[in-house]
Amino acid sequence: MFARPPLLLSALLLTLSAPLWAAKRVDLDYRVRFLPESDQAEVSLVLEKGDSVRSLRFNLGDKGYYSDFESSGGWTQDDPGHGTWVPGKGKASLTYRVRISHPRGDGRFDARMTPDWALLRGDDLVPAATLDLVDGTELVSRLEFELPKGWKSVETGWTRVGKNRFRIDNPERLFDRPTGWIIAGKLGSRRATLGNTDITVSAPVGEQMRRMDILTLMTYIWPYAREVFPREPGKLLIVGANDPMWRGGLSGPNSLFMHSARPLVSENGTSSLVHELVHVLSRIDDTDRSDWITEGVAEYYAIELLRRSGGLGDDRYESVRKHLRQWSRKVDSLRGEHATGPVTARAVLLMQDLDKEIRLRTDGKHSMDDVTRALMRLDKASTRDFIEISENLMGGASDVLDSKLLR
């Protein structure tokens, strides 16, 4: 019987499978021009081949931040909160304006532009959208900035591919948009490489951001964070500013914001900076009234990473636990859509007790770290998931989790 030559067979198999991997790559360029005089940015989406996208339907929200839409192809707004772009054939573009400053109603801002700088989230520059993409097409997205006169630089959590240009690549999304924190203007920045991650701490000049203090703390805890969280971003951006920015911390993809007046380690022994870092590294999301998991894990490691790195001794650790018990003494349930401070404190105590139970029941082979890594693999984590993961590790029912707090 005639035997087909192996090389010929390999070539045939590659030909047959080609449509599975040889996607047609099409450039999508985001171009941003900051306009400080009007507290806006002009944003353009430029699509190399418009007919590769059937439509993009944007969620514009209810704040009225977006205006002045112009497009090649077609743009329609069936209601104020949604708009649809149909690019059409050939090179296509959509241009609009977006307001930058976002007041929180208490005189504070979670995004702000001044004559000298802008601090915002890319999620707001390009709103979330539903993408209808032609089969066999892959969009290659880049983000480029045109800065006002006198503005020196721009930073994002994405890989830099030019002076003011970045590559946007999120394998988890079909529509790659520039999510995460962005800062531009007259900036001061400090950089370090920890493990496989390039870390940048950046803030406007004169905003009293303790850049080197932040890098020092990150250097201490990073080896211990790497042991817990298998996801290690290629780049991490930490931004901050002083009043009237919101006095707290907010995490985003590959980036986080921290008000420059916040202490790196608070008087109660926890760290808002490390708390937000854990959100970035773990990316745990919750469902079924289980926000206690997301916030509890972040605060648990805000304490635990300081402890493991030598920043908290045993006596200080017990003092932290005493404070958590006092703060959460009135909590009778952890369940809810949004975990309050006392609920988060009680969740941390539960996780600390659970860690001891898991270590004891498994002769030290497993710990709360294993629970956390399992939660990271879920799209959304529920209280039931948390209990099942923990009890599977122990090989039986948990005394710690047999609690009315979780019902």
Side-chain angles (χ1 to χ4, degrees):
M1 183 176 181
F2 178 74
R4 188 182 298 276
L7 286 177
L8 182 60
L9 178 59
S10 298
L12 177 62
L13 290 174
L14 283 172
T15 301
L16 291 174
S17 63
L20 299 178
W21 55 268
K24 181 181 178 183
R25 296 164 68 87
V26 176
D27 288 338
L28 172 60
D29 291 313
Y30 300 102
R31 298 172 183 171
V32 178
R33 183 165 67 98
F34 288 114
L35 307 169
E37 65 279 2
S38 62
D39 190 27
Q40 291 180 309
E42 182 181 85
V43 181
S44 296
L45 282 64
V46 181
L47 193 58
E48 177 191 8
K49 295 182 179 179
D51 53 5
S52 63
V53 172
R54 296 187 185 94
S55 67
L56 265 170
R57 179 170 171 79
F58 293 93
N59 182 356
L60 305 176
D62 58 3
K63 304 290 186 181
Y65 289 150
Y66 304 94
S67 63
D68 302 303
F69 288 91
E70 297 180 2
S71 72
S72 58
W75 171 260
T76 57
Q77 274 188 260
D78 13 336
D79 62 75
H82 296 87
T84 301
W85 180 36
V86 179
K89 294 183 178 180
K91 191 172 185 177
S93 65
L94 172 67
T95 300
Y96 55 89
R97 291 195 174 194
V98 55
R99 193 173 80 198
I100 298 300
S101 297
H102 290 182
R104 293 178 65 97
D106 55 359
R108 306 283 179 184
F109 294 82
D110 56 24
R112 187 167 179 244
M113 179 183 277
T114 77
D116 295 323
W117 52 267
L119 178 55
L120 66 150
R121 279 171 284 193
D123 313 52
D124 297 322
L125 281 180
V126 181
T130 301
L131 172 64
D132 187 357
L133 189 65
V134 172
D135 292 344
T137 302
E138 177 187 355
L139 297 181
V140 179
S141 302
R142 297 177 184 86
L143 172 65
E144 186 171 7
F145 294 91
E146 179 183 334
L147 301 181
K149 184 177 181 180
W151 289 28
K152 302 298 185 182
S153 60
V154 58
E155 297 285 351
T156 80
W158 301 99
T159 301
R160 188 183 295 274
V161 293
K163 183 179 179 181
N164 295 325
R165 202 163 185 244
F166 303 86
R167 172 76 167 95
I168 310 299
D169 184 18
N170 187 345
E172 298 176 3
R173 294 176 179 266
L174 181 62
F175 177 44
D176 282 332
R177 61 189 184 105
T179 53
W181 285 96
I182 294 171
I183 188 168
K186 299 176 182 178
L187 310 178
S189 300
R190 296 291 182 268
R191 308 175 199 280
T193 299
L194 301 178
N196 297 315
T197 302
D198 294 328
I199 298 179
T200 298
V201 183
S202 187
V205 173
E207 292 293 306
Q208 301 178 323
M209 189 75 167
R210 297 183 293 275
R211 301 173 185 85
M212 289 305 299
D213 292 4
I214 290 172
L215 281 181
T216 301
L217 177 58
M218 297 291 284
T219 301
Y220 278 122
I221 68 165
W222 198 259
Y224 303 94
R226 293 181 73 192
E227 291 177 357
V228 178
F229 307 104
R231 285 192 199 114
E232 197 173 5
K235 184 177 179 182
L236 173 66
L237 174 66
I238 301 174
V239 299
N242 213 326
D243 293 340
M245 288 295 290
W246 183 68
R247 281 181 166 261
L250 294 167
S251 60
N254 301 341
S255 58
L256 64 91
F257 163 84
M258 185 61 53
H259 190 281
S260 59
R262 293 285 296 179
L264 300 187
V265 180
S266 64
E267 288 295 323
N268 63 14
T270 66
S271 171
S272 296
L273 176 68
V274 181
H275 180 106
E276 298 304 327
L277 174 66
V278 173
H279 280 310
V280 174
L281 296 178
S282 70
R283 293 161 61 185
I284 293 172
D285 199 2
D286 57 81
T287 186
D288 190 28
R289 299 170 58 247
S290 299
D291 192 47
W292 71 271
I293 296 175
T294 303
E295 292 303 318
V297 166
E299 190 68 359
Y300 172 84
Y301 285 105
I303 299 166
E304 189 66 19
L305 293 178
L306 290 176
R307 183 189 190 194
R308 294 181 191 182
S309 63
L312 284 180
D314 290 343
D315 57 341
R316 187 61 190 160
Y317 178 74
E318 288 305 320
S319 177
V320 170
R321 282 178 54 83
K322 181 179 179 181
H323 169 78
L324 294 174
R325 284 194 291 269
Q326 177 66 18
W327 195 16
S328 64
R329 66 189 185 279
K330 294 183 180 180
V331 173
D332 56 13
S333 175
L334 298 182
R335 305 296 296 277
E337 296 295 335
H338 301 288
T340 63
V343 165
T344 298
R346 188 64 187 85
V348 172
L349 290 170
L350 180 140
M351 292 176 185
Q352 291 172 341
D353 293 342
L354 178 64
D355 179 68
K356 293 178 184 178
E357 183 181 32
I358 294 174
R359 291 177 187 272
L360 182 64
R361 295 268 295 271
T362 65
D363 295 324
K365 294 178 182 178
H366 297 292
S367 68
M368 180 65 200
D369 292 355
D370 298 289
V371 177
T372 299
R373 286 189 284 266
L375 293 171
M376 289 171 62
R377 291 192 287 269
L378 302 177
D379 290 335
K380 290 182 180 292
S382 69
T383 299
R384 179 188 292 271
D385 294 326
F386 188 95
I387 294 172
E388 288 182 352
I389 289 168
S390 303
E391 294 186 338
N392 283 339
L393 285 171
M394 289 186 284
S398 165
D399 294 333
V400 171
L401 299 181
D402 183 18
S403 168
K404 66 178 183 179
L405 290 168
L406 303 181
R407 293 171 193 152

